[in-house]
Amino acid sequence: MKKSCLLLALAGCIALPVKAEGTISAKQSEVLKQLLATYSEKAKEEAKGKKSKAAQKQTEFSAEVGREFYLKRRTWQQNDYTCSGCHTEDPRKEGKHIESKKLIKPLAPAANPERFTDVKKVEKNFTEHCYDLHDRDCRAYEKGNFITYLRSVK
């Protein structure tokens, strides 16, 4: 019996739960959906009262707009900062904090199973990093686009 189990295992006949590269976990999917639903509702609230078509369109999230936001340079105290400045232009890769030089695990959920698994942690990071880069909290529309972009990165 032991030999037959070993042979089956060696032949690859036993199914083991393995996360395929470039996919996200069920927990990540659940948290991302929850965040996008929340940001969608908040973006609609933010757009209310604004009559322009551009403002009304800011309730539809776009991976392309999210990528632009991720790469956009902001100047502060004569220095340029971007999300990609620490997280790299490819969010699947490990980054490095500009000041502390501390290594940062990949931002893309498909490359890092720890990302986007806790709503409170995501909100805390958004608040902290948005204030670092924009001197304000990010709008729901910006957060939704950002997450839509990162979700599209495989």
Side-chain angles (χ1 to χ4, degrees):
M1 180 66 176
K2 285 185 180 180
K3 286 183 184 177
S4 61
C5 288
L6 178 61
L7 289 175
L8 285 173
L10 292 174
C13 295
I14 296 177
L16 298 173
V18 177
K19 180 180 179 276
E21 189 175 327
T23 62
I24 61 174
S25 70
K27 178 69 174 172
Q28 287 173 305
S29 181
E30 174 189 323
V31 169
L32 288 166
K33 284 178 187 176
Q34 182 181 355
L35 288 165
L36 287 171
T38 299
Y39 297 146
S40 178
E41 287 303 310
K42 287 183 179 181
K44 288 174 186 171
E45 287 297 316
E46 290 172 359
K48 275 185 182 175
K50 297 180 182 177
K51 298 195 188 319
S52 72
K53 286 185 180 183
Q56 294 301 322
K57 193 172 183 176
Q58 289 187 350
T59 60
E60 302 167 18
F61 300 137
S62 159
E64 184 179 322
V65 173
R67 183 176 188 279
E68 290 169 7
F69 182 79
Y70 178 74
L71 298 173
K72 186 177 180 181
R73 296 206 171 280
R74 291 141 191 102
T75 303
W76 183 69
Q77 293 185 350
Q78 300 175 349
N79 292 310
D80 283 340
Y81 294 94
T82 64
C83 300
S84 61
C86 290
H87 293 285
T88 77
E89 287 193 17
D90 182 350
R92 295 171 296 182
K93 295 183 178 176
E94 193 171 70
K96 188 184 289 188
H97 191 275
I98 290 174
E99 294 173 1
S100 71
K101 307 299 183 208
K102 177 183 164 191
L103 291 179
I104 303 170
K105 292 182 181 179
L107 188 57
N112 182 351
E114 297 170 22
R115 290 283 185 202
F116 300 100
T117 56
D118 182 327
V119 172
K120 287 181 183 180
K121 187 174 181 179
V122 172
E123 280 301 322
K124 176 184 172 276
N125 283 324
F126 264 131
T127 299
E128 182 179 314
H129 290 74
C130 288
Y131 273 97
D132 287 345
L133 290 171
H134 304 285
D135 203 26
R136 63 170 173 79
D137 197 4
C138 292
R139 293 176 188 89
Y141 175 69
E142 294 165 329
K143 293 176 183 181
N145 286 322
F146 184 82
I147 287 177
T148 300
Y149 165 60
L150 291 176
R151 192 177 184 188
S152 74
V153 175
K154 303 292 181 213

